Amino acid sequence: EENIIVALLKSKSPSCANDGIYDGTFGHNLVPGVGITTKLLEENGIKVFNENQINELAKYINPKLNKMSLSNSLKGLKL
């Protein structure tokens, strides 16, 4: 209904990560996998990025981007 195609979530979070998650022991041990929210979003066709993937997110939204500033590339988006 809202035509959402991407989400920007927190890396390494057990609920949000798309690049490995902490194992829950509070020992800063990363394990392969994605967070629960990321899994649900991806199952519904929404591409997930984290705060370390801003440039990839901008290029995904607009593949014609080269070295434009992030503020210009994301201008006009509802975040």
Side-chain angles (χ1 to χ4, degrees), residues 2-74:
E2 297 295 329
N3 296 319
I4 296 170
I5 60 168
V6 296
L8 178 61
L9 302 177
K10 180 71 181 138
S11 98
K12 298 177 183 57
S13 159
S15 60
C16 299
N18 67 340
D19 61 346
I21 57 174
Y22 286 119
D23 66 3
T25 64
F26 298 98
H28 298 287
N29 300 314
L30 287 174
V31 295
V34 299
I36 297 165
T37 303
T38 294
K39 183 177 183 210
L40 290 170
L41 290 170
E42 288 179 342
E43 286 173 355
N44 286 282
I46 298 171
K47 177 81 173 149
V48 175
F49 295 89
N50 66 52
E51 74 275 14
N52 301 311
Q53 299 171 316
I54 299 293
N55 289 334
E56 291 89 345
L57 167 62
K59 288 176 187 172
Y60 185 84
I61 293 171
N62 184 352
K64 295 178 184 176
L65 291 177
N66 288 323
K67 298 200 179 220
M68 293 175 63
S69 72
L70 179 61
S71 61
N72 286 338
S73 64
L74 296 178

